[in-house]
């Protein structure tokens, strides 16, 4: 085995140092402007974890429900329930033993038999635990989902109100109260949901409290004399951005601490959504739907409101993986690395940092933020592509910088590089298409609802919920540019010739790149068109959309370069023929 040389040490130090900075800088502790050390009034309570899901009928056990309530003692005064069945019947008794209040609810949908069972169970619980259940909700966002007409909803509300002594309400997004004012006469108080992230025009954290104040004023003015309670308020901690609304732990902590101070000083009654991250929601609402909890999916508290906030507390795992990838690669390429001079060793370390950070970030996201089987399959595939692109980028850059013979177009390294690049570009094209085209709406027009529901977790069919794939597939955008730039800077090839799709990882011969010219042109124009459409749909306020849009523009360049390469060869052939 060759001894460690200064070139090895320089390459590794640069690569590991830069990836450490890339992981550490965005995860430095941040002190909140208004720390909060009080007790939260109420949180939405759904103690699902692991593979448990109401969609499959896999419900928490009585013991797990008790443990979940134990985690909340001392941090909240009460919990909100969304169903009076499915194992939640034991919550009022357990809550009573722990000194917690219960904001009990009945889940209403399209099935009359289920609705009647929910209402009967809610009435029974309210009458058996009058001191613990201090309020009840008949239906949650029924009008938003269009599950019931308002008249049928009113019938259920009247049934419950006539049978219990506690105040009765209905909960929905604030607009639906304004659209159905007749509901106000049927309830004792009005319960509205205010979620700036999910608004039709999403709002950033900075204006969150102003939005809450504005909505409360509108609803109070529309229903004078009726108490108004906020039934859901919160912010997601991970997932895709919506316009200027950016998920994050710091964003949640900032939004909630500002609101909690406001609620305490003004006497606003509220319920925070939610206690625990809900992994199962990722199959319907993507990553962001699973990350609204004050606790993670393992019931670990995400942060304290009166201590500095770290955006990704597990970031050292990502940095360690990047360092390990760098070491393994340099050891594998030690013969080539030993021939590097100081300048090229530094450059190689920089390129290796790009590759290993991209690969480690993709693996980190797939491991920590892909929860159920379908999202895990997608995330795993994208992580494999990211690692493959990182490897191909690093091997090719090493070959160029050490003066090695370029592999033939049909050789293993060239074929492997072309394969992962093709997969990356293909995935990027497909995922971008599904983000800008309403595939779910189109599918619902031609397929049965049951079929659409079955396909929903498998295909990322709704851009509203699906993550931007930037962390997974950005290497597909930058690898061709980096390799072509290094090749041009070292005098190996002309930049645009190397950039042409099919020539990035292998030797350039005077033959057209892979693929027909018209195909390359259409794909390149398709990437550009989708980048423009994405920015129109997401608005220029979405920084994440800009980042992915930029990636799509970069991904179009190899295809345009391939068209240019064909055109240049054809022009040369014509010139020879004329002579």
């Amino acid at each position: 085995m060759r001894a460690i040389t200064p070139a090895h040490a320089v390459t590794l130090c640069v690569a590991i140092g830069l990836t450490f900075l890339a992981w550490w800088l965005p995860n430095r502790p941040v002190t909140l402007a208004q720390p909060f050390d009080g007790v939260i009034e109420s949180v939405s309570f759904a103690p699902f974890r692991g593979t448990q899901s109401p969609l499959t009928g896999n419900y928490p056990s009585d013991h797990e429900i008790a443990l979940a309530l134990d985690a909340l003692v001392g941090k909240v005064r009460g919990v909100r329930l969304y169903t009076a069945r499915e194992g939640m019947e034991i919550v009022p008794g357990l809550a009573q033993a722990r000194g917690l209040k219960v904001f009990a609810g009945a889940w209403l949908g399209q099935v009359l038999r289920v609705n009647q069972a929910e209402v009967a169970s809610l009435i029974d619980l309210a009458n058996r635990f009058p001191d613990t259940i201090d309020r009840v909700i008949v239906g949650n966002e029924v009008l938003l989902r269009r599950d019931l007409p308002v008249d049928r909803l009113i019938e259920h509300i009247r049934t419950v109100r006539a049978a219990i002594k506690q105040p009765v309400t209905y909960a929905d997004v604030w607009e639906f109260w304004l659209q159905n004012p007749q509901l106000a006469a049927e309830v004792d108080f009005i319960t509205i949901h205010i979620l700036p992230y999910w608004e039709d025009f999403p709002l950033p954290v900075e204006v969150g409290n102003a939005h809450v104040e504005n909505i409360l004023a509108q609803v109070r003015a529309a229903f004078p004399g009726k108490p108004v309670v906020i039934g859901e308020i919160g912010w997601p901690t991970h997932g895709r951005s919506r316009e200027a609304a950016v998920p994050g732990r710091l964003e949640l902590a900032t939004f909630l601490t500002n609101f909690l101070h406001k609620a305490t000083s003004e006497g606003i009654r509220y319920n925070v959504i939610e206690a625990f991250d809900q992994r199962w929601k990722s199959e319907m609402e993507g990553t962001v739907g699973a990350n609204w909890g004050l606790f993670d999916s393992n019931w670990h508290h995400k942060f304290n409101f009166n201590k500095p906030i770290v955006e990704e507390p597990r970031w050292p795992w990502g940095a360690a993986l990047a360092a390990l990838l760098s070491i393994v690669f340099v050891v594998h390429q030690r013969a080539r690395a030993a021939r590097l001079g100081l300048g090229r060793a530094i450059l190689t370390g920089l390129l290796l940092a790009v590759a290993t950070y991209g690969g480690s970030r993709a693996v980190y996201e797939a491991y920590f933020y892909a929860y159920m089987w379908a999202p895990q399959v997608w995330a795993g595939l994208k992580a494999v592509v990211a690692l493959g692109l990182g490897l191909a980028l690093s091997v090719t850059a090493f070959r160029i910088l050490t003066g090695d013979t370029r592999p033939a177009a049909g050789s293993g390294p060239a074929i492997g590089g072309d394969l992962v690049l093709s997969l990356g570009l293909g995935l990027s094209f497909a995922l971008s298409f599904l983000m800008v085209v309403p595939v779910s709406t189109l599918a619902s027009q031609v397929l049965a609802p049951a079929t659409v529901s079955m396909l929903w977790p498998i295909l990322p069919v709704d851009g509203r919920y699906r993550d931007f794939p930037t962390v997974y597939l950005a290497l597909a955008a930058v690898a061709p540019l980096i390799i072509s730039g290094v090749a041009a800077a070292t005098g190996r090839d002309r930049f645009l010739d190397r950039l042409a799709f099919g020539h990035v990882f292998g030797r350039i011969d005077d033959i057209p790149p892979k693929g027909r010219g018209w195909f390359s042109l259409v794909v390149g124009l398709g990437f550009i068109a989708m980048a423009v459409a994405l920015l129109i749909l997401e608005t220029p306020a979405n920084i994440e959309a800009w980042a992915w849009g930029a990636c799509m523009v970069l991904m179009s360049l190899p295809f345009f370069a391939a068209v240019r390469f064909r055109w240049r060869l054809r022009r040369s052939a014509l010139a020879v023929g004329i002579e």
Side-chain angles (χ1 to χ4, degrees), residues 43-125:
V43 292
S44 298
F45 183 75
F48 296 93
R49 62 178 176 180
T51 59
Q52 293 172 345
S53 168
L55 302 178
T56 60
N58 183 7
Y59 300 113
S61 66
D62 293 356
H63 178 66
E64 288 172 320
I65 294 173
L67 290 177
L69 288 171
D70 288 338
L72 300 177
V73 172
K75 298 178 176 66
V76 304
R77 295 191 184 92
V79 296
R80 175 185 169 180
L81 303 182
Y82 288 77
T83 175
R85 300 163 61 245
E86 299 178 351
M88 293 297 104
E89 299 94 327
I90 71 166
V91 171
L94 295 174
Q96 185 177 54
R98 290 160 176 79
L100 298 172
K101 294 293 185 180
V102 175
F103 195 180
W107 185 266
L108 302 182
Q110 299 178 351
V111 181
L112 177 60
R113 173 182 54 81
V114 174
N115 292 345
Q116 291 173 337
E118 283 278 349
V119 166
S121 182
L122 179 64
I123 292 172
D124 174 63
L125 292 173

Side-chain angles (χ1 to χ4, degrees), residues 64-250:
E64 288 172 320
I65 294 173
L67 290 177
L69 288 171
D70 288 338
L72 300 177
V73 172
K75 298 178 176 66
V76 304
R77 295 191 184 92
V79 296
R80 175 185 169 180
L81 303 182
Y82 288 77
T83 175
R85 300 163 61 245
E86 299 178 351
M88 293 297 104
E89 299 94 327
I90 71 166
V91 171
L94 295 174
Q96 185 177 54
R98 290 160 176 79
L100 298 172
K101 294 293 185 180
V102 175
F103 195 180
W107 185 266
L108 302 182
Q110 299 178 351
V111 181
L112 177 60
R113 173 182 54 81
V114 174
N115 292 345
Q116 291 173 337
E118 283 278 349
V119 166
S121 182
L122 179 64
I123 292 172
D124 174 63
L125 292 173
N127 288 326
R128 284 199 289 126
F129 298 96
D131 296 327
T132 299
I133 298 178
D134 57 355
R135 300 167 291 174
V136 300
I137 302 175
V138 183
N140 179 74
E141 297 186 350
V142 175
L143 301 179
L144 171 66
R145 297 190 308 274
R146 300 179 181 178
D147 281 350
L148 291 175
V150 65
D151 292 341
R152 184 65 57 83
L153 172 62
I154 288 174
E155 291 177 7
H156 291 302
I157 293 173
R158 288 177 176 174
T159 298
V160 174
R161 203 176 182 194
I164 67 173
K165 297 180 180 179
Q166 292 93 330
V168 176
T169 187
Y170 164 69
D172 212 325
V173 177
W174 59 274
E175 294 102 323
F176 286 86
W177 279 99
L178 301 181
Q179 295 169 15
N180 299 275
Q182 66 270 38
L183 274 174
E186 307 296 334
V187 298
D188 298 299
F189 62 98
I190 292 167
T191 300
I192 59 174
H193 296 168
I194 307 178
L195 302 169
Y197 174 89
W198 279 129
E199 292 285 1
D200 291 337
F201 300 98
L203 299 170
V205 164
E206 294 76 17
V207 298
N209 269 325
H211 177 66
V212 171
E213 187 172 343
N214 177 51
I215 297 307
L216 281 174
Q218 286 188 54
V219 176
R220 286 167 175 166
F223 305 107
K226 284 283 184 180
V228 178
V229 172
I230 299 177
E232 287 184 0
I233 190 164
W235 198 273
T237 57
H238 201 77
R240 56 128 52 222
S241 299
R242 297 190 70 237
E243 297 185 14
V246 180
R249 293 190 183 217
L250 180 59

